[in-house]
Every structure is written in C-alpha cells, then in structure tokens.
Amino acid sequence: MPSSTACRASALGAGFWAGLGLLLAVVPASAKDLGQVGRVYPIAEPDALQEIEERAAAIRWEEVLPETKRRALVVDYRPRDLAPLPRAVEERTRLVDMTYTLEVDLPDGKGGVLYPKGFAFNPLEYVFYPNVLVVLDGEDPEQVAWFRESSLARDPRVRVLLCGGSWSEVGAALGRPVFYLTSPLRQRLRLEAVPSVVWQAGTAMEVNEIDVAKTQATVDESRP
C-alpha cells in the first residue's frame, strides 16, 4: 500500500476512534431531562419480543423435534462448504501471500469511494495474527494421535480445524474445542494437504505440511 494511502487509512481509523470517544464523553454530560410535553398515552401494542417468547413457549418441541433428533443435529453437524483435503505424503513448507484485491468499491461514508474496486493490500502489513492453526482430518486416527502427542496440543495459541470427521468426537478425544475448515479459508491459505500447521511469518502465512508417518514435528519455537 502506498505510504499516502496508509496514512489516509491510519488517519481515518484514528479519527473514528477519537470521534467515538468524544461522543461517549460528551453525551452523558450534556443530557437533560426535558420533562413531559403534552399528554402521554400507554403503549397499546404488545411487546414483540415477549410475544415471540410466549409463542415459542407454547410449542411442544418434543413433538415437533424429539430430543434425540435435536441432539443429532448438533452432534452430527457438518458445514455445507466443508473442505476435505488429502493426507500429506511428504514434508513441505511454503509461504502464502495474503494480499487481497477488493471486489467492490469501499465507500467512505460521505458519498465517495475510500478504496476502489481492484485495490490490493496485504492485511498482514498492519496486523499480527498471534494464533497457530493446525488443520487435520478427524477421520484419520494417525493424524489425531500425532496432534495429541505433539507439543502443539499443549500450546494455548493453537486452534484446531477439521477438514473431515466429527467435531464432537475429535473434540472429546483431544479435550479441546475444534472447528471446521471451510472452502473460503482453505482457498485463502492455499491449503493442499493435511496435517498442516499454519502461522504468520512476517507479512505472509507459513504453511507446514506434516507427514505423520515419518515425523513428530512441532512448531518451530524460534518463530516470532
């Protein structure tokens, strides 16, 4: 991003937060009770939220959707855009450029355009992602065992993403929350095989593919 554009973005952000802080500081101090002007009538319409709650309470959910089915919907949940990946057959490391190109104009809120369609920028030039992503196939016992026995399993920065398998079963086996890998994220990180360990390296994301049959690899402790 050109320096002038970076300054513009920085100034815009600083102005927003400064303006918000000023608003929060001034409004309570200047608020006044103007009293009552004219006649006041009670609200005749029922409270919408209360009406929804009452109708929901009147439904016999055990007949509409038995508890066993409700539990199954949660336990067996899979996102529609789940992104399956093949098992890695070799150790590979590569850097992924996270530069993003705007697909639409970004308005400035004043009727103009702050950044036009086609403008490209790398968010990692301005923010740091502190977590480590571990992507694995929950249906592969060796991948699950590899993660459980590695130092990654004891690293609080690690977030586990599944490209396959049951989130409830894998989560219980690992004793931690797990999430699903969806197609947009797979494409954004250009993932090709699992397990993959991903973290920020400078202004790029580093992707490390692990061959669980040959290694007990852990995250490089020298990374920032």
Side-chain angles (χ1 to χ4, degrees):
M1 179 182 295
S3 58
S4 60
T5 304
C7 292
R8 186 181 180 187
S10 177
L12 180 63
F16 171 79
W17 290 111
L20 180 60
L22 180 61
L23 178 64
L24 294 176
V26 171
V27 170
S30 61
K32 295 181 180 180
D33 183 357
L34 300 179
Q36 177 179 316
V37 179
R39 299 184 62 182
V40 178
Y41 300 90
I43 298 176
E45 296 181 359
D47 181 87
L49 180 57
Q50 181 180 354
E51 187 175 1
I52 293 173
E53 292 176 345
E54 291 176 352
R55 291 190 179 186
I59 298 176
R60 303 186 66 176
W61 292 106
E62 65 277 7
E63 295 179 1
V64 177
L65 192 63
E67 183 179 356
T68 53
K69 289 187 177 181
R70 295 201 302 271
R71 288 179 176 274
L73 286 175
V74 175
V75 172
D76 298 332
Y77 169 76
R78 300 285 195 286
R80 292 183 178 180
D81 57 351
L82 182 65
L85 288 167
R87 180 170 170 169
V89 294
E90 62 178 341
E91 304 282 337
R92 291 199 307 170
T93 298
R94 64 183 181 281
L95 295 177
V96 177
D97 182 4
M98 299 299 289
T99 298
Y100 178 76
T101 302
L102 292 178
E103 299 179 352
V104 296
D105 290 339
L106 184 65
D108 61 2
K110 300 179 181 179
V113 175
L114 180 61
Y115 296 114
K117 176 181 178 180
F119 178 79
F121 69 100
N122 183 352
L124 298 185
E125 293 180 2
Y126 310 98
V127 298
F128 178 74
Y129 183 69
N131 296 325
V132 177
L133 301 178
V134 176
V135 187
L136 53 85
D137 186 350
E139 294 183 345
D140 185 340
E142 289 191 12
Q143 293 187 41
V144 176
W146 161 81
F147 174 79
R148 186 173 54 238
E149 296 168 4
S150 73
S151 63
L152 291 166
R154 299 181 293 277
D155 191 331
R157 296 167 294 181
V158 168
R159 302 292 182 267
V160 178
L161 303 178
L162 301 181
C163 68
S166 166
W167 70 268
S168 58
E169 293 178 4
V170 177
L174 298 179
R176 62 186 298 145
V178 297
F179 309 90
Y180 282 117
L181 174 72
T182 58
S183 293
L185 183 57
R186 180 193 66 79
Q187 295 170 3
R188 195 76 180 90
L189 294 175
R190 301 177 192 173
L191 299 176
E192 299 176 0
V194 288
S196 282
V197 183
V198 186
W199 63 77
Q200 182 173 346
T203 58
M205 295 297 285
E206 182 172 320
V207 177
N208 296 267
E209 294 177 5
I210 309 299
D211 181 358
V212 296
K214 298 180 180 178
T215 184
Q216 292 296 321
T218 60
V219 172
D220 181 1
E221 297 300 335
S222 64
R223 75 182 189 284

